[in-house]
Amino acid sequence: MDQKILINKAEASGIIAFDLLHYKPSVEIVELDIKDHLFMGMIVKEKEFKESLAAVDFSVYNEKAVGIICSTDAIIPPWALMILMEKLSPYVMYADLNNAETILLDLWKRRLMYADLRSYKNEKVVVRASSDHDPSLYLLAAGLLKPLVKSLMYGEIGLPKVIFKT
């Protein structure tokens, strides 16, 4: 009886997958709208601003990333942001003057930049494709992996698009 041996060519290729999802931050990201602490939702009056912040329980932001936004066209002076950060800093793990989506992307990029990628040295690597990822993540991944890897690809192990080979 003739037995056929099936060979998994993708597995035999020696290509290693680099999945950007492994670097996605898991921290909860919330937005804090400064508008709620402004006089008439538009004006920063120091006394009223400080009183409004004093009434807030900032512990609800414990271990979260906070995107500070202003949903009105108010001009927020830097000192007001500094006062707000002074209140947030004992609780938050990260805060920035951006929306939640931008905060997520910033933290994701930070995790990538500080990741130990030495295990990919001299390997054939494919960065897994996903239409859900911001294109700037692929740009950053290519820049970080290029000096390390033997070949860099995009897509899936079974059908990658070659970016470069040495």
Side-chain angles (χ1 to χ4, degrees):
M1 184 182 240
D2 211 9
Q3 283 193 356
K4 290 187 178 181
I5 298 173
L6 297 176
I7 298 173
N8 183 335
K9 289 184 179 182
E11 215 174 85
S13 69
I15 298 173
I16 299 172
F18 182 87
D19 196 339
L20 289 166
L21 271 179
H22 293 148
Y23 300 93
K24 184 176 182 179
S26 59
V27 65
E28 183 180 351
I29 302 170
V30 295
E31 290 181 352
L32 186 155
D33 193 345
I34 294 175
K35 169 194 69 91
D36 301 334
H37 304 286
L38 303 180
F39 178 71
M40 296 174 55
M42 291 292 293
I43 302 165
V44 179
K45 284 183 148 182
E46 185 174 358
K47 182 180 177 194
E48 288 85 350
F49 185 72
K50 286 180 176 180
E51 287 173 354
S52 178
L53 292 181
V56 174
D57 176 14
F58 286 97
S59 68
V60 299
Y61 299 104
N62 196 38
E63 296 299 314
K64 295 178 182 169
V66 178
I68 300 166
I69 62 165
C70 186
S71 60
T72 63
D73 236 358
I75 297 171
I76 311 298
W79 61 262
L81 297 171
M82 293 173 71
I83 290 171
L84 179 58
M85 190 60 197
E86 185 273 328
K87 301 289 186 191
L88 283 169
S89 64
Y91 303 103
V92 301
M93 59 84 49
Y94 181 82
D96 198 0
L97 195 57
N98 272 313
N99 61 31
E101 186 178 312
T102 303
I103 298 284
L104 173 64
L105 186 58
D106 288 348
L107 292 174
W108 203 336
K109 286 180 178 179
R110 212 180 257 209
R111 286 194 68 191
L112 268 170
M113 286 189 291
Y114 293 106
D116 182 3
L117 303 177
R118 290 179 290 183
S119 63
Y120 296 101
K121 189 167 180 66
N122 297 320
E123 297 289 348
K124 295 186 271 182
V125 177
V126 62
V127 179
R128 286 221 159 119
S130 174
S131 59
D132 296 336
H133 299 338
D134 189 280
S136 65
L137 292 170
Y138 292 99
L139 184 71
L140 179 59
L144 294 170
L145 291 168
K146 169 85 168 64
L148 296 173
V149 301
K150 188 186 324 181
S151 46
L152 182 64
M153 295 160 272
Y154 167 84
E156 291 301 323
I157 291 175
L159 190 61
K161 175 157 207 66
V162 176
I163 306 301
F164 90 92
K165 281 192 216 183
T166 56

